[in-house]
Amino acid sequence: MERIERLLGALTVTEKIGQLSMAAAARAVTGPGSQRDLEKDIRSAAVGSVLNAWGSAEVRALQRLAIEHSRPGIPLLFGLDVIHGHRTVFPVPLAEAGLFDPDSWEQTARAAAAEAAADGVSLTFAPMVDVARDPRWGRTVESPGEDPWVASEFAAAKTRGFQGAGLRADSSVAATAKHFCGYGAVTAGREYASVDLSERTLHEVHLPAFAAAVAAGVAAVMPAFIDVGGVPMSANVPLLQGWLRVRQGFHGVVISDYNAIPELCAHGVAADLAEASALALRAGIDIDMGGSAYRTGLSQALDRGLIEHWQLDASVRRVLMLKEMLGLFDRPYRGQEAPVPAAATRALARQVARGAITLLTHRRPVLPLAAHLRRIALIGPLASAAQEMLGPWHADGRAEEAISILAGLQTALPRCRIDSSAGVDLTGQRRGIAAALECARAAELSILCLGEGSAMSGEAGSRAELGLPGEQRALAEAVLDIGRPVIGLLTSGRPLTLPWLFERADAVLATWFLGSEAGDAIADVLTGTFNPTGKLPLSWPRQVGQVPIFFAQRPTGRPARAGERLTSSYLDVPATPQFPFGHGLSYSSFALRDLRCTPRSVKAAAAIEVSVSVHNESATAGEASVFLFVRDPLASIARPLLELKGVRRIALAGGERGSVAWQLPVAALAFPGVDFEPLLEPGVFEICVGQSADADGLLRCSIEVVP
Ligand code: GLC
């Protein structure tokens, strides 16, 4: 690009380093370090991008400083964590993953991008596509769950949604696939802890979603804070240069995580900022988020010969190219005056929130709520907590615009008296249990609103226990002891190990953090206005001692068999999850029959036609999800017991029969060989179809791949 070369040629070294520095504005605080004089830095061209600023007035003012009052006059990028919505907050990614619906994932990203772009944002630090199999880790809430195929579909759909028809469009923002890579496998689920994975697991589990994001044209990638096998991702040349830029052909911008470059010193691989900056630049990190490393370290690194000018220019070129692709040189003042969320966006938020609600247990027929109910007790610290419904990373989401569970039920049940009593708070104060019990005793039915506060998951939200925080269990058991019908609603950023609740309550639903429309969506499901369709995007453990737990386990030499001692199991807890991946009940009931796979013998370049019939055996219209797994029972490398290759959803009236089908390319049966390139080995494969990863519920047929 001629314009870029001209701009680059006119920059001093200090101004080049400025283009690689992203400074934090003060509207949100998402990392450590002191706030600098942002306006002074912009005037002196010491920064080329800003994070955590939004609102067209503020953004325009900062942009004007850059264009009219700095020597180079180069427009700024404005970055923000628009993870699951901007002003209208959608369900957290873990909840949204449970729709298993790429169209929906794309639509919410599209709507969030439009709202954020109207507020002057040009770059979002999303989608987060880390595979998460250890729910002790707080960022499980931000992830698309445990499966690499789902994470890949999610990465591509979100990239399409955020970036829309092109980055120049007023309603588009540049997307950032993060956190590259393996962050979900932190040691013991502890935040920022070291990750130690085999290269095989990296290639089979943690890299596919980033390959999918790059293939979808993602504009940026963000390395994770963590080290992988002792090599911090912010300095990881083999993965950032070798795998991402060379093998995947990624030409976009790599943005460090917040302060991650100076933290290379804390990792113990750099003696000072000059070394840290040189390691990061050589690894291909173009933008230093936090802006404190490159600003001082890169000029020293040049003086000490740790980096070359061409390496500096290569990064500046990529940053200028991104600004060019966003059209910032021609139209730097993106955004509108005081954008207002569209009604259609709120309607989308309600629709997606409904779809994310997962009916975990329904032991006695208490749902949908009977129309004759006249008095309900809403008990628990999440009953009227509108702010908590927004979850972590809610950008410009506002509590006053969020609908609490209480408000949603009051709207849906105008003729029913609904008393609400928190009973306990989230931190363990239990002053109000007596009042809550009074409330429950006076009601025909109690709804327990239990779970986590939004600050108990997300970044730096790891928990070593997965029960209910504080004294919520004491409250819940006291209500259960009354002996009237009890429904449990779990607001959380992760699965919670509550066998005592699942055994006693009449029904329990996972409501995660559903965003602005939480209360209305929950009411839609409880009243039967919406028949629940949510399915678990991760295995739900019985006890924290089981984690990491996931369905794609390798068989081992002694596969787990219930009741048999010398097999891969525990003495004290079944090896199976409380609820399997894909679990989610409905007010309908569905049966799968007649699995067909043709042809039975296929060559590598062909596809397998898989079909199965689905019968709604109930009188209630509903929607079923059908999962397609494959199993390679004999290969040169032990293959997982199940690998997910597709999901289909089908809506059926009461009593109706339908069918779902896939054209499964034989190439999808390949796995990373010893060189981690796709390897397809001839032989017999099992095609498995079911309503979850529960092995007992799968229909199976075999096909043979012939040379
Ligand atoms: C945080 C997070 C990252 C986020 C960034 C900017 O530390 O790790 O996901 O995008 O800083 O807020």
Side-chain angles (χ1 to χ4, degrees):
M1 282 288 288
E2 191 274 332
R3 167 152 65 184
I4 286 173
E5 292 311 316
R6 178 170 44 76
L7 280 170
L8 184 60
L11 292 176
T12 66
V13 169
T14 304
E15 290 163 345
K16 287 178 182 178
I17 293 172
Q19 285 302 306
L20 308 187
S21 299
M22 177 182 279
R27 190 150 180 196
V29 179
T30 60
S34 59
Q35 294 294 331
R36 293 176 59 94
D37 183 340
L38 182 56
E39 298 196 0
K40 175 171 167 292
D41 283 347
I42 293 172
R43 290 174 189 275
S44 61
V47 294
S49 49
V50 173
L51 79 146
N52 295 340
W54 69 90
S56 57
E58 177 178 355
V59 168
R60 285 169 183 273
L62 295 174
Q63 191 69 293
R64 185 160 287 104
L65 276 183
I67 291 171
E68 298 178 6
H69 299 281
S70 83
R71 198 192 69 82
I74 294 174
L76 299 164
L77 283 170
F78 288 91
L80 184 67
D81 292 285
V82 182
I83 310 287
H84 53 99
H86 179 61
R87 175 80 177 271
T88 306
V89 181
F90 295 103
V92 291
L94 184 65
E96 198 185 8
L99 279 86
F100 288 90
D101 182 2
D103 290 345
S104 177
W105 298 338
E106 181 174 343
Q107 282 177 49
T108 56
R110 187 95 291 281
E115 284 191 353
D119 250 353
V121 175
S122 43
L123 166 76
T124 178
F125 307 120
M128 188 272 210
V129 294
D130 300 305
V131 169
R133 296 177 161 180
D134 184 336
R136 293 172 293 184
W137 187 47
R139 306 195 80 161
T140 300
V141 68
E142 295 174 56
S143 83
E146 75 175 58
D147 185 70
W149 180 85
V150 173
S152 301
E153 292 289 303
F154 192 84
K158 288 296 179 185
T159 299
R160 291 192 300 269
F162 284 127
Q163 300 189 165
L167 294 182
R168 285 179 172 275
D170 278 345
S171 64
S172 294
V173 295
T176 309
K178 72 183 186 184
H179 306 80
F180 186 75
C181 61
Y183 190 7
V186 285
T187 302
R190 193 175 67 253
E191 184 59 290
Y192 310 130
S194 181
V195 167
D196 213 337
L197 290 166
S198 67
E199 199 162 355
R200 171 154 301 285
T201 299
L202 269 181
H203 280 81
E204 290 190 3
V205 177
H206 298 281
L207 290 172
F210 289 94
V214 171
V218 76
V221 169
M222 181 189 293
F225 286 119
I226 43 96
D227 71 275
V228 177
V231 182
M233 281 313 303
S234 301
N236 201 309
V237 172
L239 285 170
L240 279 170
Q241 296 284 25
W243 186 86
L244 181 66
R245 289 202 187 279
V246 175
R247 279 178 64 180
Q248 301 308 311
F250 176 66
H251 303 299
V253 169
V254 174
I255 305 171
S256 83
D257 204 334
Y258 204 125
N259 254 27
I261 296 175
E263 289 170 11
L264 290 174
C265 300
H267 274 286
V269 298
D272 55 29
L273 280 184
E275 286 187 11
S277 302
L279 285 172
L281 194 81
R282 288 205 299 266
I285 291 190
D286 302 311
I287 291 182
D288 163 22
M289 179 190 289
S292 63
Y294 279 3
R295 173 201 313 264
T296 49
L298 277 187
S299 48
Q300 294 166 14
L302 280 167
D303 296 344
R304 286 158 51 179
L306 301 177
I307 54 166
E308 309 286 331
H309 281 277
W310 67 267
Q311 290 167 310
L312 180 63
D313 289 353
S315 284
V316 177
R317 200 171 278 119
R318 285 192 287 264
V319 173
L320 295 178
M321 177 56 81
L322 178 56
K323 295 181 177 182
E324 173 71 44
M325 288 160 67
L326 282 161
L328 290 176
F329 290 112
D330 305 318
R331 289 179 304 107
Y333 296 106
R334 293 173 125 233
Q336 304 142 19
E337 299 306 322
V340 176
T345 306
R346 292 288 306 211
L348 177 62
R350 182 169 182 166
Q351 173 199 323
V352 173
R354 285 165 154 181
I357 295 168
T358 306
L359 181 57
L360 299 174
T361 66
H362 196 191
R363 298 171 61 250
R364 281 185 287 277
V366 290
L367 289 173
L369 293 174
H372 59 66
L373 277 172
R374 285 293 170 270
R375 190 157 178 180
I376 290 175
L378 221 51
I379 308 287
L382 278 306
S384 50
Q387 173 72 42
E388 302 303 341
M389 299 295 111
L390 298 179
W393 296 115
H394 49 262
D396 192 33
R398 302 169 192 186
E400 65 274 18
E401 295 178 356
I403 298 166
S404 70
I405 299 171
L406 173 61
L409 278 171
Q410 284 169 330
T411 305
L413 301 170
R415 290 195 303 280
C416 183
R417 175 176 166 171
I418 302 175
D419 298 314
S420 167
S421 176
V424 296
D425 68 9
L426 287 166
T427 60
Q429 298 306 320
R430 51 183 301 175
R431 280 184 300 279
I433 286 191
L437 294 181
E438 278 309 301
C439 185
R441 284 194 193 95
E444 298 168 78
L445 170 147
S446 289
I447 298 176
L448 292 170
C449 302
L450 308 167
E452 297 175 320
S454 52
M456 295 176 178
S457 64
E459 184 175 0
S462 289
R463 292 181 61 206
E465 287 295 341
L466 299 182
L468 289 170
E471 295 295 328
Q472 296 181 69
R473 176 170 180 173
L475 170 70
E477 289 183 322
V479 171
L480 286 161
D481 290 346
I482 294 171
R484 295 229 181 84
V486 174
I487 295 164
L489 300 180
L490 301 179
T491 295
S492 70
R494 53 167 56 88
L496 299 176
T497 51
L498 313 173
W500 54 272
L501 180 68
F502 299 130
E503 285 153 16
R504 294 187 65 190
D506 296 81
V508 181
L509 298 94
T511 59
W512 313 110
F513 294 110
L514 291 172
S516 306
E517 289 286 329
D520 281 345
I522 289 169
D524 289 343
V525 168
L526 294 181
T527 60
T529 302
F530 183 79
N531 186 350
T533 60
K535 306 295 177 194
L536 292 179
L538 74 184
S539 307
W540 191 294
R542 299 171 190 274
Q543 297 292 344
V544 67
Q546 292 181 292
V547 302
I549 184 169
F550 48 95
F551 72 83
Q553 300 273 0
R554 297 194 200 278
T556 78
R558 296 188 175 182
R561 267 193 290 277
E564 291 190 35
R565 186 160 175 129
L566 298 180
T567 66
S568 180
S569 54
Y570 302 100
L571 289 176
D572 51 355
V573 174
T576 52
Q578 182 85 48
F579 306 112
F581 174 93
H583 173 78
L585 302 179
S586 162
Y587 298 148
S588 312
S589 61
F590 301 99
L592 303 186
R593 289 188 188 84
D594 303 331
L595 172 61
R596 296 211 175 101
C597 305
T598 52
R600 292 291 181 152
S601 175
V602 285
K603 287 185 181 295
I608 305 153
E609 162 91 24
V610 182
S611 69
V612 67
S613 80
V614 188
H615 180 208
N616 180 350
E617 297 179 319
S618 75
T620 308
E623 182 181 279
S625 290
V626 186
F627 296 88
L628 169 65
F629 300 98
V630 300
R631 162 90 179 109
D632 184 351
L634 181 61
S636 56
I637 291 169
R639 304 306 306 140
L641 289 169
L642 289 175
E643 292 178 86
L644 183 64
K645 297 296 179 185
V647 184
R648 286 281 187 273
R649 298 154 41 124
I650 180 169
L652 292 170
E656 186 183 3
R657 290 175 196 280
S659 71
V660 294
W662 292 268
Q663 284 288 335
L664 179 66
V666 172
L669 302 178
F671 60 90
V674 286
D675 58 355
F676 300 111
E677 291 298 331
L679 172 63
L680 177 65
E681 294 181 334
V684 171
F685 289 80
E686 282 181 19
I687 306 295
C688 315
V689 167
Q691 296 187 64
S692 79
D694 177 9
D696 297 340
L698 294 176
L699 302 179
R700 297 171 186 265
C701 68
S702 296
I703 58 104
E704 183 175 9
V705 174
V706 295

